[in-house]
C-alpha cells in the first residue's frame, strides 16, 4: 500500500508564491495526471514532495505499508529511502557518466545497494537498448534513449511511488508515445503508484486513472476519470484554445 | 587493477626510488625532486574537489600555508619529529576545509571559487599578524644537517614527500573508483539531479573538501624545513594556487593520472627554466602552457590520449 496525501500546501521561491492552498491525493496503485501549462506549479509541487523545496505551509503525507510519514521537513535522501523516486523534467542525466553509472546513482542510498545487481538486471530487461549501451556516455545518446535512462535510473531505488515530471518534453511524438506506454507497463509490472505532470494532455490521459488541472498554483478542476477530463470546459479553454 | 594491488605497486615504486637515493651524490636532485613531488600532492589534492566534484578551489595557497605555519608554530613549542608536524598541519588544514565547506558549499560555480579566494586573503592577513610565527618579518627554521636515519636532511625531506605523494595518489584513485567517486562525478555533472536521486550532496562535498584540504596542509607542513625561512608572501604565493590549478588542467581532471602527469611536467619545466632562464619566468611559462591547453586540448593530456583510442 502506498499513497500520497497533500493538504493545504503553500509553496514558492522566496517571495514568489507559486502554490496556493493546494490539496490533492494519489491513491494506492493509481496513475494520477497533473495537467497544466507551463508556469502553473506542477514542477514546484513535485519538488516539494521530493524535499527539494520546503513549502511555506501545509503537509504532504506518505502512507506506506500502514505507516504514515510526514514528508515536509525531511531530507531528499530520506524521502528516496522511504520509496519515492522522481524522473526530473528534461531528464537531467549525468552526461559524462556512462549509462551504467547513471543507473548506479539511482541506487545511491545504502538500502538499495544489496539489490543493485538485481535492479540493474531488471532495468536492462525492461530497456534492452540500455544493456547494449551500458558503457556509453549518457550525454552521447538520443533524446528517446536518454528518457529511458532517466526512467530506469528512477527505478533503481525500487520505489513504490514514482513521480514523473513532463516525460514528453523535447521528445519526438513517436518517443512520447513509447515513453508513456513504458510508464504504464512498468507501473503494472512493479505495482507502482504514479503521479505524472504533463502538458501533453492527450498522451497523459492514455494512461491516467484520474487527473487534476492545476492553474496558477491551485487545483482548478478534479476529474475522476479520463472521460470527465476530456469533456471539461477548462481543458477546452487551456489546451484547445476554444 | 584493485586498490590493494595499486597500493602494492606504489610501495614497490617507493622501494625502488628509496634505494636509488643512495646513488645520488648531488643534493640539488633532492631539492628538485621535493618540489616536483610537492606539486604531485597539491595537484592530486586539488583534483579531488576541483576535478572529480567540479568545485574550483582558488584557495590552495591558504591550505598549503596553514599547514606550513602550524608546523612552524608546533615546532617552536615542542620540536616533534617531522611526521607528527605533517599530521598536525594536515589536521589543521582539514578542519579549515570543513569549516569553509560548511560556510560555502551551498554556493555553486564561480561563487564558491570567489569565496575560496577570499579564504586565502583572510588567512594571509591572520598569519601576517600572528607574531608568534614571525608575523610579516617571517620565521626562521633551522634545518638539521642530517636526517634521523643518517644521510642529508634534504634526502629525508624528499623521502617523506615521496611517501605522501604515493599515498595521495593511491587515495585519490580509490576515491575515484568508489561509490563516493561516482557520487562526486554526479555532483559535477548535475548537482540538482544528483540531489533529487537521493545522493547526499552536501556530505560528499564536505568529504571532498576535507580530504583535499588535509592533503594540501600535509604538503605544506615540511615546507619550513625545505626553505629554512618562511614569510607570508612566499607561503601564500600566487604561484602555488596557479600551479595547482594549471597542473590538473594540463594533465586532465577526470582521472588520478592527469594531475600526476601535469604536476611532473609543469614543475620540471619550471625547475629547468629557473636554472637556465630566470626564476621570474616560471609563471609566464605556466600561463602560456595553460592557455595552450585550454584552447587546444581542453581535456588535458589524458583527454588527448583517450581520443587516439577507438571508442568502445
Amino acid at each position: 500500500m502506498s499513497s500520497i496525501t497533500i493538504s493545504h500546501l503553500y509553496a514558492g521561491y522566496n517571495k514568489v508564491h507559486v502554490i496556493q492552498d493546494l490539496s490533492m491525493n494519489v491513491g494506492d496503485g493509481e496513475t494520477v495526471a497533473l495537467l497544466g501549462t507551463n508556469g502553473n506549479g506542477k514542477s514546484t509541487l513535485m519538488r516539494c514532495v521530493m524535499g527539494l523545496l520546503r513549502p511555506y505551509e501545509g503537509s504532504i503525507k506518505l502512507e506506506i505499508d500502514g505507516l504514515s510519514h510526514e514528508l515536509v521537513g525531511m531530507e531528499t535522501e530520506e524521502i528516496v529511502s522511504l520509496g519515492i523516486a522522481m524522473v526530473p523534467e528534461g531528464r537531467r542525466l549525468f552526461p559524462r557518466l556512462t549509462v551504467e553509472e547513471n543507473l548506479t546513482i539511482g541506487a545511491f542510498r545504502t538500502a538499495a545497494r544489496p539489490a543493485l545487481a538485481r535492479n540493474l538486471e531488471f532495468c536492462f530487461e525492461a530497456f534492452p537498448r540500455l544493456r547494449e549501451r551500458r558503457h556509453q556516455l549518457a550525454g552521447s545518446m538520443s533524446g528517446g534513449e536518454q528518457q529511458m535512462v532517466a526512467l530506469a535510473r528512477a527505478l533503481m531505488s525500487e520505489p513504490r511511488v514514482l513521480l514523473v515530471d513532463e516525460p514528453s518534453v523535447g521528445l519526438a511524438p513517436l518517443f512520447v508515445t513509447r515513453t508513456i506506454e513504458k510508464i504504464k507497463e512498468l507501473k503494472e509490472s512493479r505495482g507502482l503508484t504514479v503521479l505524472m505532470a504533463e502538458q501533453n494532455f492527450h498522451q497523459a490521459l492514455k494512461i491516467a486513472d484520474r487527473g487534476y488541472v492545476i492553474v496558477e498554483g491551485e487545483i482548478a478542476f478534479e476529474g475522476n476519470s479520463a472521460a470527465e477530463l476530456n469533456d471539461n470546459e477548462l481543458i477546452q479553454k487551456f489546451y484547445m484554445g476554444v | 587493477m584493485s586498490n590493494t594491488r595499486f597500493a602494492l605497486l606504489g610501495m614497490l615504486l617507493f622501494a625502488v626510488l628509496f634505494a636509488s637515493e643512495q646513488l645520488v651524490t648531488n643534493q640539488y636532485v633532492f631539492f628538485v625532486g621535493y618540489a616536483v613531488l610537492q606539486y604531485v600532492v597539491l595537484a592530486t589534492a586539488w583534483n579531488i574537489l576541483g576535478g572529480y566534484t567540479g568545485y574550483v578551489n582558488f584557495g590552495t595557497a591558504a591550505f598549503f600555508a596553514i599547514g606550513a605555519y602550524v608546523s612552524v608554530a608546533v615546532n617552536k613549542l615542542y620540536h616533534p619529529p617531522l611526521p607528527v608536524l605533517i599530521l598536525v598541519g594536515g589536521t589543521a588544514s582539514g578542519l579549515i576545509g570543513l569549516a569553509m565547506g560548511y560556510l560555502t558549499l551551498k554556493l555553486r560555480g564561480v561563487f564558491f571559487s570567489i569565496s575560496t579566494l577570499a579564504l586565502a586573503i583572510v588567512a594571509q592577513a591572520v598569519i601576517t599578524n600572528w607574531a608568534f610565527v614571525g608575523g610579516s618579518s617571517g620565521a626562521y627554521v633551522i634545518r638539521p644537517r642530517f636526517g634521523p636515519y643518517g644521510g642529508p636532511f634534504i634526502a629525508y625531506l624528499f623521502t617523506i614527500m615521496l611517501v605522501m605523494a604515493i599515498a595521495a595518489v593511491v587515495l585519490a584513485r580509490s576515491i575515484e573508483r568508489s561509490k563516493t567517486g561516482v557520487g562526486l562525478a554526479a555532483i559535477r555533472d548535475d548537482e540538482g539531479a544528483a540531489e533529487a536521486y537521493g545522493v547526499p550532496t552536501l556530505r560528499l562535498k564536505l568529504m571532498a573538501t576535507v580530504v583535499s584540504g588535509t592533503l594540501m596542509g600535509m604538503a605544506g607542513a615540511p615546507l619550513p624545513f625545505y626553505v629554512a625561512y618562511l614569510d607570508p608572501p612566499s607561503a601564500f604565493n600566487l604561484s602555488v594556487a596557479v600551479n595547482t590549478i594549471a597542473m590538473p588542467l594540463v594533465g586532465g581532471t577526470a582521472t588520478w593520472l592527469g594531475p600526476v602527469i601535469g604536476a611532473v611536467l609543469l614543475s620540471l619545466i619550471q625547475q629547468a627554466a629557473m636554472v637556465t632562464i630566470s626564476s621570474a619566468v616560471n609563471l609566464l611559462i605556466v600561463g602560456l602552457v595553460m592557455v595552450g591547453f585550454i584552447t587546444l586540448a581542453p581535456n588535458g593530456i589524458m583527454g588527448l590520449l583517450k581520443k587516439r583510442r577507438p571508442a568502445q
Side-chain angles (χ1 to χ4, degrees):
Chain A
M1 290 292 285
S2 52
S3 67
I4 290 182
T5 309
I6 298 170
S7 33
H8 305 293
L9 197 74
Y10 291 81
Y13 307 90
N14 295 323
K15 285 183 176 168
V16 183
H17 293 248
V18 179
I19 289 175
Q20 311 275 355
D21 195 18
L22 185 146
S23 300
M24 63 174 284
N25 77 298
V26 186
D28 182 48
E30 274 190 318
T31 299
V32 172
L34 204 54
L35 303 161
T37 47
N38 264 342
N40 280 310
K42 301 191 299 297
S43 294
T44 304
L45 182 65
M46 295 216 160
R47 290 175 59 82
C48 289
V49 176
M50 286 313 292
L52 294 165
L53 178 70
R54 189 154 295 191
Y56 306 131
E57 247 188 276
S59 97
I60 303 172
K61 280 217 159 61
L62 169 74
E63 299 270 347
I64 196 156
D65 298 328
L67 290 172
S68 178
H69 306 273
E70 174 59 58
L71 301 185
V72 174
M74 265 193 197
E75 294 291 330
T76 305
E77 322 157 36
E78 299 172 82
I79 293 171
V80 172
S81 291
L82 283 175
I84 307 184
M86 178 168 82
V87 182
E89 181 179 356
R91 303 180 281 278
R92 303 282 291 268
L93 297 187
F94 306 111
R96 285 180 287 173
L97 296 186
T98 63
V99 169
E100 192 168 323
E101 284 168 334
N102 265 277
L103 297 184
T104 318
I105 290 294
F108 205 86
R109 66 188 184 117
T110 322
R113 286 264 134 184
L116 182 71
R118 176 161 50 90
N119 284 325
L120 206 56
E121 190 53 35
F122 170 82
C123 287
F124 286 150
E125 259 160 44
F127 304 96
R129 177 62 66 87
L130 299 188
R131 191 197 299 276
E132 293 165 27
R133 310 233 156 159
R134 62 200 289 180
H135 298 302
Q136 193 176 326
L137 293 187
S140 68
M141 300 173 61
S142 76
E145 288 167 338
Q146 291 198 12
Q147 185 67 62
M148 291 182 201
V149 179
L151 260 175
R153 183 175 55 175
L155 295 172
M156 288 296 291
S157 63
E158 291 192 328
R160 305 282 296 279
V161 179
L162 186 66
L163 309 182
V164 190
D165 197 359
E166 301 272 5
S168 73
V169 161
L171 288 185
L174 177 65
F175 282 112
V176 175
T177 311
R178 278 196 200 159
T179 304
I180 295 278
E181 276 164 5
K182 201 74 197 178
I183 293 172
K184 185 172 185 217
E185 181 193 318
L186 290 168
K187 182 217 144 174
E188 279 159 8
S189 66
R190 298 221 118 180
L192 296 170
T193 299
V194 179
L195 175 63
M196 181 171 75
E198 186 52 80
Q199 294 190 47
N200 193 327
F201 172 74
H202 293 291
Q203 292 287 356
L205 285 196
K206 275 192 200 164
I207 64 165
D209 299 310
R210 318 186 276 123
Y212 294 88
V213 178
I214 177 167
V215 178
E216 286 174 5
E218 291 174 75
I219 300 289
F221 179 74
E222 184 180 346
N224 288 317
S225 67
E228 243 183 83
L229 283 160
N230 248 327
D231 299 336
N232 183 264
E233 61 177 36
L234 253 173
I235 301 223
Q236 303 273 335
K237 190 170 142 204
F238 276 96
Y239 286 97
M240 322 299 170
V242 177
Chain B
M1 208 186 315
S2 76
N3 285 329
T4 329
R5 287 181 75 179
F6 188 75
L8 287 174
L9 199 71
M11 280 182 218
L12 189 71
L13 180 69
F14 171 77
V16 170
L17 287 173
F18 185 70
S20 51
E21 273 179 31
Q22 317 306 322
L23 308 172
V24 178
T25 47
N26 184 354
Q27 291 200 9
Y28 176 70
V29 174
F30 292 120
F31 276 95
V32 172
Y34 177 93
V36 172
L37 291 172
Q38 169 193 296
Y39 274 116
V40 169
V41 179
L42 285 177
T44 301
W46 184 89
N47 201 45
I48 291 173
L49 187 64
Y52 299 165
T53 325
Y55 276 77
V56 174
N57 177 3
F58 282 126
T60 306
F63 294 101
F64 180 68
I66 285 165
Y69 268 101
V70 166
S71 169
V72 169
V74 175
N75 187 51
K76 223 173 150 181
L77 290 170
Y78 303 111
H79 296 290
L82 188 55
V84 175
L85 290 176
I86 290 172
L87 288 180
V88 176
T91 309
S93 287
L95 289 175
I96 297 282
L98 185 68
M100 186 194 76
Y102 256 118
L103 294 173
T104 61
L105 280 173
K106 301 237 159 168
L107 305 172
R108 289 184 188 175
V110 70
F111 300 104
F112 172 80
S113 301
I114 291 169
S115 65
T116 59
L117 199 57
L119 172 78
I121 293 164
V122 170
Q124 183 169 2
V126 170
I127 299 284
T128 309
N129 288 290
W130 188 11
F132 183 68
V133 291
S136 60
S137 53
Y140 290 91
V141 176
I142 296 160
R143 185 197 305 150
R145 190 180 282 241
F146 299 107
Y149 312 109
F153 196 78
I154 184 66
Y156 174 60
L157 282 178
F158 172 83
T159 310
I160 292 256
M161 199 47 95
L162 180 62
V163 172
M164 284 201 279
I166 291 174
V169 171
V170 169
L171 179 68
R173 186 178 175 275
S174 70
I175 289 175
E176 182 187 319
R177 299 184 172 211
S178 67
K179 173 190 168 191
T180 306
V182 182
L184 294 178
I187 292 173
R188 177 193 64 201
D189 271 10
D190 189 337
E191 187 166 346
E195 203 183 340
Y197 280 96
V199 175
T201 50
L202 186 62
R203 222 184 312 145
L204 287 182
K205 288 190 292 181
L206 276 177
M207 187 230 69
T209 317
V210 170
V211 171
S212 179
T214 303
L215 288 176
M216 286 173 180
M218 288 172 80
L223 182 72
F225 295 95
Y226 180 71
V227 293
Y229 167 71
L230 188 69
D231 66 339
S234 64
F236 286 92
N237 203 298
L238 179 69
S239 67
V240 176
V242 172
N243 274 326
T244 310
I245 296 173
M247 287 162 178
L249 286 183
V250 165
T253 54
T255 61
W256 60 273
L257 192 54
V260 175
I261 293 176
V264 172
L265 198 73
L266 269 185
S267 51
L268 279 182
I269 293 175
Q270 282 179 299
Q271 292 291 332
M274 206 142 80
V275 285
T276 53
I277 313 171
S278 85
S279 61
V281 84
N282 278 340
L283 274 185
L284 180 72
I285 292 176
V286 175
L288 287 176
V289 172
M290 213 154 109
V291 169
F293 267 91
I294 285 170
T295 47
L296 300 172
N299 292 321
I301 292 173
M302 290 305 289
L304 280 180
L305 293 178
K306 233 181 191 168
K307 233 187 246 167
R308 289 267 170 98
R309 255 185 282 152
Q312 285 176 332

